[in-house]
């Protein structure tokens, strides 16, 4: 084992091994929206894509090339499974009529005895599309063949930015969509009048009536949000960057801050409530736009939002965003209240069971350069679904946190992988070290990967003695030319 891995130098990661934010490090993901379904939280994110100048320098993020929606999920809010990137818009996307897919929102509804999933997105600033699927991870299709909301929709032509949807599924089975943003002119910064709400049809793909304005939204910028807590409806948004010092003193919030309003009706009228989250610059030093979603999971409330800490960890500076999750503070009235953004993130909610197959793209952290890609015909065609870990090289590593091996312990871990090419200079393709609690720790086992080009190859790391108890587990890779699909302890 030592002869295979003794020359390995560990590659760097973009975040500390003790940090849980950002939740995904293998690519960017902005404007997060949370859907809780069947014991898991699914996060849908704008697929920020770095662009480069001819000299290799990074371009500023202009959002114009974004036409995918990234999807990850977790049942513990620390280990996140990568489900790929929905090919939502663009010429080869499900909604080929639209060039872009920004700021997704997701919902599901039981229709004719079967759960159906709806993925809403902004076609840049000019309307809202909706895709459907029988699964929260796709494949998604466009059933209506055009926008759900457009400039032709009544009361929407004058909305500066017709984007950033949020969807409420109410207790009685009815659903509502919230959209809009932008400042029409400087003199309207204090009350832009560009927020809209509309009831959705029973099919979730049509409107039940005309959108109406949400009145008196102080310093609205963008980023619709909606939650129902103890019978009260909370509309939330990001304030614009024209909040004066006097207004900040009167209203209690600053520019670029997440703010709430409340009502006893899903369509309002709404009244001022509380600020919730300062601009990411306050917590992390790098600012920009602010985008959030609040959600309940296992009886606790959380807020997901984006920051620029991943690009900082990658030594980039182009306005590319990554998604965080932190606790949402509720005040004595059970209202969303001032919360904080952190690098540490939230505590793991439950231990990971290693005795059930774990996808290799289930990660709490990973070294820079490792990637994931679509696996299988469906995912390759549609962008989301099954994924495999790729771009492996010497010293790369991944981790999963809070793995509970129990009192009897595990004797080995078996990896399922694909060997893509043979090694002309050796008897093996590579190896995977299994380390506990630190990537630089002494390996408890090492799986040697045979030098044979084949799919669904099993490589086994036998432990020197049974591994018991709960540990953070690090997989350190040697060699290249192979991809890892899953692992299981035995």
């Amino acid at each position: 084992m030592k002869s295979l891995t003794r020359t390995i130098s560990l590659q760097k990661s973009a975040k500390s091994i003790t940090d849980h934010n950002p939740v995904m490090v293998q690519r960017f993901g902005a404007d997060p929206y949370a859907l809780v379904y069947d014991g898991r939280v699914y996060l849908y994110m704008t697929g920020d894509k770095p662009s480069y100048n001819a000299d290799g320098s990074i371009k500023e993020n202009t959002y114009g090339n974004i036409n995918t929606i990234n999807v990850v999920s977790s049942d513990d809010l620390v280990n996140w499974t990568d489900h790929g990137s929905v090919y939502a818009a663009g010429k080869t996307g499900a909604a080929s009529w639209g060039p872009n897919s920004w700021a997704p929102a997701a919902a599901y509804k039981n229709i004719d005895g079967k759960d159906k999933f709806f993925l809403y997105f902004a076609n840049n600033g000019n309307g809202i599309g909706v895709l459907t699927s029988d699964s929260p991870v796709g494949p998604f299709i466009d059933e209506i063949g055009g926008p759900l909301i457009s400039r032709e929709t009544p009361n929407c032509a004058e909305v500066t930015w017709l984007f950033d949807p949020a969807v409420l599924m109410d207790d009685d089975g009815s659903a509502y969509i919230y959209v809009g943003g932008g400042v029409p002119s400087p003199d309207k910064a204090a009350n832009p009048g560009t927020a809209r709400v509309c009831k959705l049809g029973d099919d979730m793909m049509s409107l039940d009536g005309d959108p109406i304005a949400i009145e008196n939204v102080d310093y609205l910028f963008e980023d619709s949000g909606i939650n129902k807590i103890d019978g009260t409806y909370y509309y939330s948004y990001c304030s614009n960057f024209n909040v004066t010092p006097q207004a900040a003193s009167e209203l209690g919030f600053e520019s670029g801050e997440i703010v709430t309003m409340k009502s006893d009706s899903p369509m309002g009228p709404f009244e001022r409530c509380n600020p919730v989250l300062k601009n990411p610059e306050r917590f992390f030093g790098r600012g920009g736009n602010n985008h959030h979603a609040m959600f309940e999971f296992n009886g606790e409330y959380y807020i997901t939002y984006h920051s620029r800490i991943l690009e900082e960890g990658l030594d980039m500076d182009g306005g590319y965003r990554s998604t965080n999750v932190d606790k949402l503070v509720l005040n004595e009235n059970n209202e969303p209240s001032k919360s904080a953004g952190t690098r540490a993130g939230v505590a793991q909610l439950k231990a990971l069971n290693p005795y059930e197959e774990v996808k290799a793209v289930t990660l709490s952290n990973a070294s820079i350069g490792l990637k994931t890609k679509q696996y299988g015909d469906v995912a390759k065609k549609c962008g989301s679904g099954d994924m495999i870990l790729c771009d492996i090289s010497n010293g790369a590593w991944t981790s999963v946190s809070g793995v509970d091996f129990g009192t009897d312990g595990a004797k080995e871990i078996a990896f399922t992988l694909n060997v893509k090419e043979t090694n002309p200079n050796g008897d093996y393709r590579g190896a995977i070290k299994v380390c506990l609690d630190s990537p630089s720790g002494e390996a408890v086992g090492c799986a040697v990967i045979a030098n044979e080009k084949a799919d669904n190859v099993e490589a086994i790391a036998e432990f020197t003695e049974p591994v018991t108890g709960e540990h953070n587990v690090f997989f350190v890779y040697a060699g290249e030319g192979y991809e890892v699909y899953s692992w299981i302890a035995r």
Side-chain angles (χ1 to χ4, degrees), residues 274-315:
N274 306 312
V276 169
L277 193 72
K278 296 287 186 184
N279 192 272
E281 184 176 18
R282 177 66 64 93
F283 309 112
F284 308 112
R286 293 191 180 193
N289 63 357
N290 199 357
H291 200 109
H292 79 296
M294 299 180 286
F295 64 96
E296 181 186 10
F297 185 57
N298 292 349
E300 298 286 340
Y301 279 88
Y302 301 89
I303 185 166
T304 181
Y305 59 98
H306 66 223
S307 72
R308 295 170 57 196
I309 57 176
L310 178 58
E311 71 159 13
E312 181 184 44
L314 296 172
D315 196 26

Side-chain angles (χ1 to χ4, degrees), residues 33 37 73 97 103 198 231 260 312 337 348 394 403 405-406 416 472 489:
Y33 197 91
Y37 179 75
S73 75
W97 51 267
C198 189
T260 61
E312 181 184 44
S337 188
Q348 188 168 338
N394 272 330
V403 181
F405 291 98
T416 300
N472 297 333

Side-chain angles (χ1 to χ4, degrees), residues 86-155:
V86 179
Y87 298 153
K91 294 180 180 179
T92 60
S96 57
W97 51 267
N100 298 120
S101 55
W102 301 348
Y108 75 92
K109 183 177 182 179
N110 190 280
I111 297 177
D112 297 329
K114 187 176 182 179
D115 289 340
K116 187 172 182 177
F117 298 85
F118 302 88
L119 184 58
Y120 303 84
F121 65 91
N123 175 35
N124 52 63
N126 290 301
I128 307 299
V130 56
L131 307 178
T132 63
S133 177
D134 294 329
S135 162
V137 301
F140 285 93
I141 62 173
D142 179 14
E143 290 191 53
I144 63 176
L148 169 65
I149 297 174
S150 71
R151 295 288 176 189
E152 284 68 48
T153 303
N155 300 322

Side-chain angles (χ1 to χ4, degrees), residues 235-256:
Y235 168 73
S236 49
Y237 64 96
C238 176
S239 63
N240 62 48
F241 291 85
N242 299 286
V243 180
T244 64
Q246 180 180 352
S249 177
E250 293 175 357
L251 301 174
F253 64 83
E254 302 170 340
S255 293

Side-chain angles (χ1 to χ4, degrees), residues 176-327:
Y176 301 84
I177 188 167
Y178 304 73
V179 301
V183 180
S185 58
D187 63 303
K188 294 185 177 180
N191 188 6
T194 51
R196 298 290 184 268
V197 58
C198 189
K199 187 176 182 181
L200 287 167
D202 290 340
D203 62 359
M204 302 289 288
M205 298 181 290
S206 61
L207 301 181
D208 185 358
D210 294 338
I212 64 171
I214 302 175
E215 301 288 350
N216 300 317
V217 183
D218 297 316
Y219 289 93
L220 171 67
F221 189 52
E222 58 184 1
D223 180 27
S224 307
I226 188 68
N227 293 87
K228 186 178 183 181
I229 303 174
D230 287 350
T232 298
Y233 300 87
Y234 294 92
Y235 168 73
S236 49
Y237 64 96
C238 176
S239 63
N240 62 48
F241 291 85
N242 299 286
V243 180
T244 64
Q246 180 180 352
S249 177
E250 293 175 357
L251 301 174
F253 64 83
E254 302 170 340
S255 293
E257 187 168 353
I258 304 302
V259 183
T260 61
M261 302 178 73
K262 64 181 181 179
S263 176
D264 58 6
S265 167
M267 296 186 72
F270 290 87
E271 62 183 40
R272 295 171 184 160
C273 194
N274 306 312
V276 169
L277 193 72
K278 296 287 186 184
N279 192 272
E281 184 176 18
R282 177 66 64 93
F283 309 112
F284 308 112
R286 293 191 180 193
N289 63 357
N290 199 357
H291 200 109
H292 79 296
M294 299 180 286
F295 64 96
E296 181 186 10
F297 185 57
N298 292 349
E300 298 286 340
Y301 279 88
Y302 301 89
I303 185 166
T304 181
Y305 59 98
H306 66 223
S307 72
R308 295 170 57 196
I309 57 176
L310 178 58
E311 71 159 13
E312 181 184 44
L314 296 172
D315 196 26
M316 298 168 59
D317 189 4
Y320 296 96
R321 293 84 50 87
S322 54
T323 288
N324 296 353
V325 173
D326 274 297
K327 289 293 294 290

Side-chain angles (χ1 to χ4, degrees), residues 20 41 74-80 295 297 302 325 346-347 349:
H20 297 152
V41 177
S74 177
D75 64 359
D76 62 24
L77 300 187
V78 169
N79 298 299
W80 293 89
F295 64 96
F297 185 57
Y302 301 89
V325 173
V346 300
L349 300 186

